[in-house]
Amino acid sequence: MWYSPENYKNQTQTPKELNEELKLLKGELPDSQAKISLAKFLHGNLGITTELLSGIKLAPFQEITLRAMMERNFSMCVWGRGCGKTFIASVFCFLQCIFNPGTKILIAGPTFRTARFIFNNLEKLVESKGAELLSQAFGTKAKRNDAFEWQINGGTITAIPLNGEKIRGFRANVLVLDEYLLLPEDLIKTVLMPFLVAPQDMSERIKIREIEDQLIKKGEMQEKDRMVFKNDSKMIALSSASYTFENLYKTYREWLDKIYNKVEGSDTTYFISQMGYEALPKHMIDETVIDEAQSGGSSHASFLREYCATFTDGSDSYFSARKMHECTVPDGEEPSSLVVGRQDKEYILGLDPNMSDSPSADFFGMSLMELDKETKTSTLVHSYAGLGSLNKHVNYLYYILSNFNISLIIADNAGSDMFFDSCNHSTIFKNNKLNLKNIEFNSNAEGADYVKQVRDLKRKYNKESGNILIQQVFSSDWIRKANELLQANIDYKKLWFASRTAANQASFESQIMSKIPLKLINEENLGEFIETQDNLIYQTKKQCALVEVKTTAKGTQTFDLPQHLKRNTSANRARKDNYTALLLANWGVKCFFDMEDYKIDDAVATFTPRLV
């Protein structure tokens, strides 16, 4: 259902009205009038224009959305997966630039990869068969580590990373923000919104005002007759639905309120499109994917957000999304995500090994916790989720050990023997005299037995010689205890999630200067690596929020992804490897604090003789 309140009606001429007007034209037209009439027709019939330029035939909902984006200052598309957010943004970019010469569009997202995805999609449209007319509108294209830029019709379309001071120097009159739900609120208000301050035609406006001033001075014009400049700045927000406690929903409600209750004296206009998979034409839906996703129940929260574009409150999972949000360090505060450890801090590493390089396999996961010994709390500051060769994972562990003060490593016993043996025998470990040794420790023991295990752990523990490794057996009893501990630490704020470095100028500038061999981390540059860390910490929370607890017929509890997500075997399937690594790291924090708190009594009992 499309709806427009009364205060938005009759603001512009409808395509039907325009076409009726153009039908009245007769005979030959002067060249200038012919050009103006053609431009009006193409602007009023965006479906025909898009097909003429690119060979792409738009669905009615896409044409309506594009018209709204071009006529409103602020547009938001909360669309389900597969609805085509990236496609509609790409089409909007070239239409906006063609109809508005000199337009400067900035494409941004939570990571540079996200922004580049829209840019690359635009490239495919322009270079596709049938888009010969469109390709002629584009000029020079430049791709750098810090920006992708393409010139068109006197303006530019630029994809940028949202980190560092240099982004504050950009100016644009159109912002396209992908994955809006992942963008920090402060970054949007203090960095992105100021991009739109300077009008596109500033020099022309200054000239007009000077002429008006002269006319008013001569008495040939009155103040009330000054030209009113239209606000042509635009912001396009694209996202799937989020939790109701996140900034996307807050912005969504604010814009809805402004649509229904227009502020007097304001010429700013808004548009919101909220669309799930059911609103799509049948030929645009992959029924197999929907059936697979829906097999866990159409009321499942993740399905509602991802496919139905429905906001949920996030309180339905074992690990409350709302509570994890409350346990996240606010942007701009420390600790933020880290690529190099702080010298005065110690770190616990949780490691979930998987050596398969199949695209559909589980990831090799790591979670790094920064310890606060005064408050006995910990913060997730670094994560790893990778596929590929064993050598790739070995190099990454070496990078972790070289740049963080690791006090304890706790790993899943399944597969860790082979991995750590490979590490110790690798050239990079041998050359740097690293050798990790396992400590026999039954962390699942209870009472006096556990005290004895902690005592033995403290006696065997030795950082200098590499005796810092615990291999944890995943018994059903331990899995229950570890999940209960993780839930309790989140509930009582004993575990925190680091803030985003990209939203913290001081932290970003400090970390971007770090000397890290890029071949160890398999990244193109440090800026992208920092973005990856910000994203992985968010993804860890997302994985935790998906975990369900079930009880078997024998009374054993299982903690796993919903069945409909587990059945998906594609390369882009939902995974829980960072959740497992966090589970281990959180348990490792407990074991480390228990070991530190234990006081070894070295006194030896002796016989005291007595005279009788």
Side-chain angles (χ1 to χ4, degrees):
M1 179 185 75
W2 298 95
Y3 172 75
S4 178
E6 289 298 325
N7 53 38
Y8 273 60
K9 292 180 179 177
N10 302 321
Q11 286 190 351
T12 57
Q13 191 176 33
T14 67
K16 184 177 180 180
E17 292 170 342
L18 172 65
N19 292 337
E20 290 297 327
E21 179 185 300
L22 293 174
K23 284 181 181 179
L24 300 177
L25 295 175
K26 303 291 184 181
E28 292 187 6
L29 301 176
D31 188 56
S32 59
Q33 188 180 355
K35 289 179 180 179
I36 292 172
S37 300
L38 176 61
K40 283 183 176 181
F41 173 78
L42 294 175
H43 190 276
N45 297 272
L46 295 178
I48 294 174
T49 305
T50 303
E51 188 171 4
L52 178 67
L53 292 174
S54 65
I56 297 170
K57 189 171 181 62
L58 297 176
F61 81 91
Q62 293 172 326
E63 188 172 352
I64 294 172
T65 302
L66 285 169
R67 175 162 302 283
M69 286 179 170
M70 297 187 70
E71 293 183 358
R72 302 288 185 256
N73 300 115
F74 292 88
S75 301
M76 177 182 290
C77 292
V78 182
W79 288 6
R81 186 179 295 183
C83 291
K85 296 186 291 292
T86 302
F87 169 78
I88 207 70
S90 303
V91 175
F92 165 78
C93 285
F94 73 71
L95 288 178
Q96 176 70 17
C97 290
I98 286 173
F99 285 114
N100 299 274
T103 295
K104 294 184 181 296
I105 296 179
L106 277 185
I107 305 172
T111 68
F112 193 23
R113 289 186 183 91
T114 306
R116 288 195 314 236
F117 189 65
I118 292 180
F119 193 95
N120 292 336
N121 195 272
L122 176 62
E123 273 188 315
K124 290 179 182 178
L125 292 181
V126 175
E127 295 168 2
S128 63
K129 186 178 180 180
E132 289 78 14
L133 272 177
L134 179 60
S135 64
Q136 293 176 31
F138 284 85
T140 306
K141 179 168 53 178
K143 290 187 175 183
R144 305 185 302 273
N145 287 336
D146 60 345
F148 281 15
E149 184 176 277
W150 208 349
Q151 295 181 5
I152 172 174
N153 201 18
T156 55
I157 300 173
T158 309
I160 62 168
L162 289 182
N163 53 47
E165 187 65 31
K166 65 175 64 176
I167 67 171
R168 297 179 186 271
F170 283 100
R171 283 296 174 266
N173 52 298
V174 178
L175 275 177
V176 178
L177 304 179
D178 198 13
E179 297 295 344
Y180 189 87
L181 72 94
L182 299 180
L183 296 176
E185 181 179 5
D186 184 62
L187 186 69
I188 294 170
K189 290 182 177 179
T190 63
V191 178
L192 295 176
M193 297 298 286
F195 285 173
L196 305 177
V197 171
Q200 172 184 350
D201 54 350
M202 178 61 79
S203 59
E204 184 181 345
R205 292 189 183 194
I206 292 173
K207 290 179 182 177
I208 292 172
R209 285 289 182 249
E210 289 176 349
I211 294 172
E212 289 175 342
D213 290 341
Q214 293 174 5
L215 292 173
I216 291 173
K217 189 175 181 180
K218 294 177 180 178
E220 298 175 4
M221 178 179 174
Q222 295 184 16
E223 192 70 34
K224 65 178 181 178
D225 297 326
R226 283 185 182 272
M227 180 182 289
V228 178
F229 296 114
K230 183 181 177 182
N231 180 5
D232 59 358
S233 296
K234 301 182 190 303
M235 187 173 86
I236 313 296
L238 309 170
S239 184
S240 53
S242 69
Y243 296 109
T244 54
F245 54 80
E246 293 182 305
N247 182 53
L248 172 64
Y249 183 71
K250 174 185 173 184
T251 306
Y252 166 84
R253 296 301 308 176
E254 288 176 354
W255 290 12
L256 271 182
D257 183 62
K258 289 176 180 178
I259 288 173
Y260 286 97
N261 303 288
K262 187 171 175 60
V263 179
E264 288 295 329
S266 173
D267 62 345
T268 305
T269 55
Y270 296 84
F271 165 74
I272 290 177
S273 172
Q274 187 174 6
M275 185 173 66
Y277 76 96
E278 293 174 310
L280 290 176
K282 292 297 182 183
H283 68 275
M284 298 180 69
I285 304 172
D286 188 337
E287 295 288 353
T288 305
V289 173
I290 297 298
D291 290 343
E292 184 67 30
Q294 201 173 15
S295 59
S298 58
S299 62
H300 193 279
S302 64
F303 180 80
L304 290 174
R305 288 193 306 275
E306 294 289 333
Y307 291 93
C308 301
T310 302
F311 293 96
T312 62
D313 65 8
S315 60
D316 56 336
S317 57
Y318 184 75
F319 300 104
S320 169
R322 180 182 292 275
K323 289 182 178 178
M324 285 189 285
H325 177 75
E326 293 170 353
C327 285
T328 301
V329 180
D331 289 324
E333 297 183 13
E334 298 290 350
S336 61
S337 60
L338 298 175
V339 296
V340 173
R342 298 194 282 186
Q343 293 182 354
D344 60 335
K345 294 294 183 179
E346 295 181 59
Y347 298 87
I348 305 297
L349 177 64
L351 192 146
D352 180 22
N354 179 61
M355 269 68 80
S356 173
D357 58 359
S358 168
S360 61
D362 290 339
F363 285 146
F364 191 115
M366 298 186 198
S367 288
L368 195 62
M369 310 297 292
E370 183 177 278
L371 300 179
D372 187 329
K373 292 189 174 183
E374 291 184 6
T375 60
K376 293 295 177 70
T377 61
S378 61
T379 305
L380 177 66
V381 294
H382 189 96
S383 295
Y384 173 72
L387 286 172
S389 65
L390 176 60
N391 187 55
K392 174 185 173 183
H393 307 317
V394 170
N395 284 342
Y396 202 93
L397 179 60
Y398 170 73
Y399 148 71
I400 291 287
L401 294 171
S402 302
N403 291 279
F404 293 87
N405 179 21
I406 304 297
S407 294
L408 187 71
I409 300 175
I410 180 168
D412 183 355
N413 183 64
S416 59
D417 278 338
M418 183 179 74
F419 174 68
F420 287 109
D421 187 59
S422 299
C423 289
N424 291 332
H425 287 86
S426 66
T427 303
I428 195 168
F429 268 62
K430 284 184 176 180
N431 290 345
N432 291 279
K433 298 180 181 180
L434 288 174
N435 189 35
L436 298 173
K437 302 180 184 69
N438 181 50
I439 303 174
E440 294 295 332
F441 175 62
N442 179 14
S443 67
N444 203 33
E446 296 181 346
D449 290 337
Y450 180 71
V451 175
K452 182 178 181 299
Q453 289 291 326
V454 172
R455 181 195 66 194
D456 293 344
L457 174 64
K458 189 158 189 173
R459 286 176 174 170
K460 296 174 184 176
Y461 177 83
N462 190 317
K463 282 181 69 173
E464 299 300 323
S465 63
N467 286 39
I468 60 172
L469 173 63
I470 296 173
Q471 292 176 305
Q472 179 63 51
V473 177
F474 273 53
S475 66
S476 58
D477 186 42
W478 178 84
I479 291 173
R480 176 184 57 80
K481 288 181 179 178
N483 277 280
E484 288 174 351
L485 177 67
L486 181 58
Q487 184 192 54
N489 283 353
I490 291 171
D491 288 350
Y492 294 102
K493 296 187 176 180
K494 302 292 285 184
L495 181 148
W496 290 81
F497 298 91
S499 62
R500 307 175 208 232
T501 294
N504 185 331
Q505 185 61 39
S507 180
F508 179 84
E509 294 298 336
S510 172
Q511 294 191 57
I512 199 67
M513 301 303 293
S514 304
K515 304 298 182 183
I516 300 173
L518 295 177
K519 64 179 182 180
L520 292 180
I521 57 177
N522 199 37
E523 291 280 358
E524 293 183 12
N525 56 69
L526 270 181
E528 289 198 14
F529 188 41
I530 290 170
E531 288 181 342
T532 298
Q533 287 308 310
D534 287 346
N535 183 54
L536 281 176
I537 290 175
Y538 174 82
Q539 293 300 328
T540 300
K541 292 187 287 184
K542 190 173 180 180
Q543 288 182 20
C544 290
L546 290 175
V547 171
E548 290 183 341
V549 58
K550 293 182 179 179
T551 305
T552 66
K554 294 183 178 181
T556 303
Q557 285 186 320
T558 61
F559 298 81
D560 211 336
L561 296 175
Q563 283 298 318
H564 69 285
L565 295 180
K566 288 181 66 178
R567 283 194 288 268
N568 187 349
T569 58
S570 68
N572 296 321
R573 67 185 177 87
R575 292 176 170 86
K576 61 168 187 171
D577 311 290
N578 286 106
Y579 146 73
T580 307
L582 179 67
L583 190 74
L584 284 160
N586 182 64
W587 189 263
V589 170
K590 167 189 174 296
C591 295
F592 182 78
F593 281 145
D594 288 346
M595 179 186 72
E596 285 223 318
D597 291 342
Y598 183 81
K599 304 298 182 184
I600 295 180
D601 185 5
D602 292 325
V604 179
T606 58
F607 170 72
T608 303
R610 184 175 58 172
L611 181 64
V612 292

